[in-house]
Amino acid sequence: MLLEGKVAIVTGAGQGIGREYAFGLAREGAAVVVADIDEVHGKQVEADLREAGHQALFVRTDVSDEESTKELARQAAEAFGGIDVLVNNAAIYAGLPYESFEEMPVERFDRVMAVAVKGTWLCTRAVAPYMRLRGGGSIVNQGSTAAYHHTPRRMNYNVSKAAVHGMTKSLAKELGADGIRVNCIAPGAIDTEATVSTVPSEVLSRLADMQLVKRQGHVADMVGPLLFLASDQSAFVSGQVLVADGGVILNG
Ligand SMILES: NC(=O)c1ccc[n+]([C@@H]2O[C@H](COP(=O)([O-])OP(=O)(O)OC[C@H]3O[C@@H](n4cnc5c(N)ncnc54)[C@H](O)[C@@H]3O)[C@@H](O)[C@H]2O)c1
């Protein structure tokens, strides 16, 4: 197993890709901390992981709140003895409306940025001291090909993901000397409930046609890239954005 004895935090693990990430890490032997603002779904994932025989803990977390991220790191380290992997996956994605930059309420722009961008920073800042105690670690941020496609009427989301891609490189530079690698996954369209309920089906089929891999992307397709970046399989890789979109963006 790739992550035997390791402790991993996944933010936004209550549903969708984050839930799949939590199971992927657990199947490779990691104890998984499910961090989500949604208590009902987060607790369900904790129960499902335990039911499947894995070590799991749910910590209700708002990644945009500094105290909440500190408490997440504290509880994770207390429960499992340290932290080795952080997956910054939480974002405002489900239900995010398509709207022009002129219609977009300032509060919605702020919230999208606060969760994806500030949240990635704050979780990394809260967890880094614990990773240093272990002699290193791996941080995987969740970007998006929206940062390259510049999806029309989704300016807030596009720029938040472009910022996550950029932050990955800044954090990787600052944390490299501590043995902490920071990388990013940029998924294309993945058929989570959040995608299916917000992206019109004709847009999804058009995207699948543009892909080199001629089918819809599934949550399971994201687990391989995550395990590569989270584990020592990528020991010599840091500061990178791995595009996992079936082959649309060829120069990410
Ligand atoms: N699904 C796709 O097609 C796709 C494509 C590219 C990138 N992504 C990215 O992948 C990630 C997951 O996507 P998904 O489809 O599973 O989305 P989703 O909306 O289904 O899941 C997001 C999770 O984040 C949680 N969350 C929201 N705000 C939070 C906060 N402040 N603190 C903690 N948790 C919070 C939600 O409760 C939810 O469980 C997101 O970062 C998304 O931007 C998704």
Side-chain angles (χ1 to χ4, degrees), residues 11-18 35-38 61-64 88-94 111 115 142-145 157 161 186-192 194-195:
T11 71
Q15 63 183 45
I17 299 174
D36 205 294
I37 200 166
D38 178 339
T61 309
D62 178 353
V63 298
S64 69
N88 284 310
N89 166 77
I92 302 292
Y93 179 68
R111 189 68 187 145
V115 177
Q142 188 79 326
S144 171
T145 53
Y157 185 73
K161 291 301 183 176
I190 302 301
D191 63 355
T192 59
T195 296

Side-chain angles (χ1 to χ4, degrees), residues 1 35 43 54-55 60-61 67 74 80 88-89 96 115 121 147 185-186 189 196 198 221 223 228:
M1 287 200 278
K43 278 201 162 144
H54 304 303
Q55 289 188 81
R60 189 189 174 277
T61 309
E67 282 313 309
R74 196 192 63 72
F80 298 123
N88 284 310
N89 166 77
L96 184 68
V115 177
W121 167 44
I185 299 172
V196 173
T198 45
D221 292 316
V223 174
F228 171 66

Side-chain angles (χ1 to χ4, degrees), residues 197-212:
S197 61
T198 45
V199 184
S201 58
E202 55 280 12
V203 174
L204 288 177
S205 0
R206 214 169 40 242
L207 260 174
D209 279 347
M210 286 162 61
Q211 291 164 201
L212 306 180

